[in-house]
Amino acid sequence: MERMWAPIICAGIWLGFIVYWVAGSFPKNRIYEVYAGCGIGVCLSLLLFGVFGWYPPHGDSPPLRALALGGTVLYWASVALVLLAFLALARRGQPEGFIERSTVLIDSGLFGVIRHPLYLGVALWSMGLVLSIQLVLPAMLGMAALGCAWLAGVKEDEFNVRKFGEGYREYMAVVPAWNVWKGLRRRRLRGRGEA
């Protein structure tokens, strides 16, 4: 009986996030928030399935401990990344309403390394859960969350070009969307005046 509630609860989570984000997103042309809401909804569904043990048993092949440990590391790294991004937005973004609705372009600190730390956090969160759970359905859901996070970033770039203009185009040319290593390297070169 308990397993019957799992899809209903997950559908409720997805619908709640989608309705919450869509209600304010479409009139303001914020399609990226719809993708973000879907990605977060998928991640929460994965998490609930794991917490309440709603996944089918692994059968004869138990999960690989090394992958599960890697998943746990990714999961906690994603939490740290998202918290740092929200702190940066609250401190430097001069938010209008919600924290993530900054009124100024932030191009330093974490946002000087990658453009979309929140969406990278959602992607790492989903991949961490997939590696920890190690089943086919969660893997498919995790890939869907990863795709939603990527599309959210692409659509937010388009929105921010309209919002911030040429300054954001220049920012996009210098700071990668998700590639942390490339962002750190470019930041180091900019610090030396070589970029």
Side-chain angles (χ1 to χ4, degrees):
M1 183 69 170
E2 186 177 289
R3 287 194 192 271
M4 189 162 54
W5 285 102
I8 295 169
I9 290 170
C10 288
I13 290 171
W14 282 25
L15 286 174
F17 268 93
I18 292 168
V19 167
Y20 172 76
W21 261 293
V22 168
S25 301
F26 277 128
K28 296 178 181 176
N29 199 17
R30 291 185 178 139
I31 263 324
Y32 62 90
E33 291 181 357
V34 175
Y35 287 119
C38 289
I40 292 169
V42 170
C43 285
L44 285 175
S45 297
L46 283 169
L47 186 61
L48 279 178
F49 267 77
V51 167
F52 292 109
W54 290 332
Y55 292 115
H58 281 86
D60 294 333
S61 57
L64 301 173
R65 286 187 184 183
L67 285 179
L69 177 62
T72 302
V73 168
L74 277 178
Y75 178 79
W76 288 109
S78 73
V79 169
L81 184 63
V82 168
L83 288 176
L84 288 171
F86 274 125
L87 282 172
L89 286 169
R91 283 185 173 163
R92 296 188 211 125
Q94 298 175 10
E96 185 179 88
F98 294 108
I99 291 174
E100 73 273 9
R101 295 200 180 138
S102 60
T103 57
V104 298
L105 175 59
I106 306 170
D107 60 359
S108 61
L110 184 58
F111 286 89
V113 177
I114 52 175
R115 290 194 313 268
H116 302 297
L118 294 171
Y119 302 140
L120 178 58
V122 170
L124 292 176
W125 184 21
S126 67
M127 291 302 100
L129 289 170
V130 165
L131 290 175
S132 296
I133 299 165
Q134 299 177 28
L135 290 169
V136 174
L137 177 62
M140 293 186 320
L141 289 173
M143 295 310 286
L146 179 75
C148 287
W150 180 257
L151 287 170
V154 169
K155 292 299 181 184
E156 186 170 2
D157 280 339
E158 293 171 6
F159 176 81
N160 285 334
V161 165
R162 290 190 305 273
K163 182 176 180 178
F164 296 114
E166 193 57 36
Y168 195 81
R169 285 186 201 279
E170 292 170 8
Y171 172 66
M172 285 175 59
V174 175
V175 178
W178 285 8
N179 190 333
V180 175
W181 306 120
K182 188 177 183 179
L184 287 170
R185 194 177 90 242
R186 285 185 176 178
R187 185 168 142 171
R188 192 183 78 224
L189 292 174
R190 283 193 313 271
R192 292 182 188 167
E194 297 175 19

